[in-house]
Amino acid sequence: MKSHPEQFKPMIEASQKAFRSGDSPALRARSRRIKDVMSADKYREMSRERIAKWKEENPIQYTEARKKNHEIIKTPECQAKRKTSFEKWIISNPEKYKAWQEKLISSRTSQKANEKRKVSLKEWSDTNPQKAKLFAQKRAQAAATKTSKAICMIDLESGKVLQRFLSQHAAAKWLVEEGKAKNMNCVSSISSVCLRKPCTTGYGYRKKAYGYDWRFANE
């Protein structure tokens, strides 16, 4: 092709015309023929290079295409189709799905990801102070709702309810007033018992805090 470019000029022009005309049965058939005679890695590399070149030569069209694609992805029809396809893939590839989940969790909880998220959140908060304030208020309300459930203080030996508090904070305040806890941070210990959080030792869950068992009143 390099030695005699004039011989391949009609073929190149026809290919360019086919790609520029948009999606069509002829273009799809051509892509299938290329895939049949080419490895998947090589095909991906060619596609990647072609897209990168088109992006560089047509920045405005690329931005519009990305915006249009983003809008289409958000439609209920597209979301339902993607969900169905993903569920089929999970059933067909359980091991790959498990490895993907582990990789996803690892990437989200890594130190690098946490630092990047922290910087990004700081930049967003500085750019959107009003929204950041509203989100902070929502988080505070959610946390207050979580700890405002009525709880019972239960004797460890008899299992009888000794006292009932309107919230975990009220119970923590009582512990501080009685000298059983140093400060209001004891609310986290009460919450751990109510939620039956796993022990740090890895054996079972936390069963007591400050000499008592704690349960939500509605349990």
Side-chain angles (χ1 to χ4, degrees):
M1 184 180 286
K2 291 183 179 180
S3 301
H4 304 282
E6 67 281 354
Q7 297 180 9
F8 298 93
K9 187 176 180 180
M11 183 187 72
I12 295 173
E13 290 178 350
S15 299
Q16 290 177 345
K17 184 179 180 180
F19 277 107
R20 289 170 181 169
S21 62
D23 191 16
S24 66
L27 184 60
R28 287 179 178 269
R30 182 180 182 278
S31 297
R32 282 195 297 271
R33 289 195 300 271
I34 293 174
K35 287 182 179 180
D36 291 339
V37 298
M38 188 180 297
S39 67
D41 293 338
K42 184 64 178 177
Y43 185 78
R44 290 194 190 96
E45 183 181 350
M46 287 183 63
S47 300
R48 193 182 299 111
E49 291 175 355
R50 186 173 66 249
I51 292 172
K53 183 178 179 181
W54 181 81
K55 176 183 175 182
E56 184 179 351
E57 295 176 352
N58 305 275
I60 297 176
Q61 294 180 15
Y62 173 77
T63 303
E64 292 176 353
R66 289 280 295 177
K67 184 178 179 181
K68 184 178 180 181
N69 186 55
H70 183 66
E71 291 174 352
I72 292 174
I73 289 175
K74 291 192 296 184
T75 59
E77 297 81 4
C78 186
Q79 290 290 332
K81 186 177 180 181
R82 287 162 62 90
K83 183 179 179 181
T84 303
S85 178
F86 185 59
E87 289 174 350
K88 288 182 179 178
W89 180 82
I90 292 174
I91 296 172
S92 303
N93 304 273
E95 294 298 326
K96 288 184 178 180
Y97 174 69
K98 184 179 179 182
W100 174 78
Q101 282 281 66
E102 292 175 352
K103 184 178 179 181
L104 181 65
I105 294 172
S106 176
S107 65
R108 286 178 174 175
T109 56
S110 65
Q111 183 178 355
K112 185 178 179 180
N114 289 334
E115 292 176 354
K116 185 177 179 180
R117 191 181 299 112
K118 185 178 180 181
V119 173
S120 178
L121 183 60
K122 179 67 168 58
E123 291 177 353
W124 182 86
S125 300
D126 293 340
T127 309
N128 305 273
Q130 294 298 329
K131 289 184 178 181
K133 185 177 180 181
L134 290 175
F135 284 147
Q137 291 175 351
K138 286 184 179 181
R139 288 195 298 270
Q141 290 175 0
T145 302
K146 183 178 179 181
T147 58
S148 63
K149 294 180 180 179
I151 62 172
C152 296
M153 185 175 72
I154 302 172
D155 184 74
L156 291 172
E157 295 183 0
S158 63
K160 292 183 178 180
V161 176
L162 301 177
Q163 287 199 59
R164 178 187 170 95
F165 300 93
L166 294 177
S167 67
Q168 294 176 28
H169 281 288
K173 185 178 180 181
W174 180 84
L175 289 174
V176 173
E177 291 175 349
E178 293 294 318
K180 298 179 181 294
K182 294 181 179 180
N183 52 52
M184 291 294 291
N185 291 337
C186 61
V187 70
S188 61
S189 299
I190 297 173
S191 177
S192 297
V193 178
C194 290
L195 296 173
R196 296 299 187 258
K197 287 188 176 180
C199 294
T200 54
T201 58
Y203 298 98
Y205 57 85
R206 188 162 184 176
K207 301 178 180 63
K208 64 179 181 178
Y210 298 95
Y212 303 99
D213 183 13
W214 302 87
R215 298 287 183 94
F216 289 115
N218 58 1
E219 291 183 355

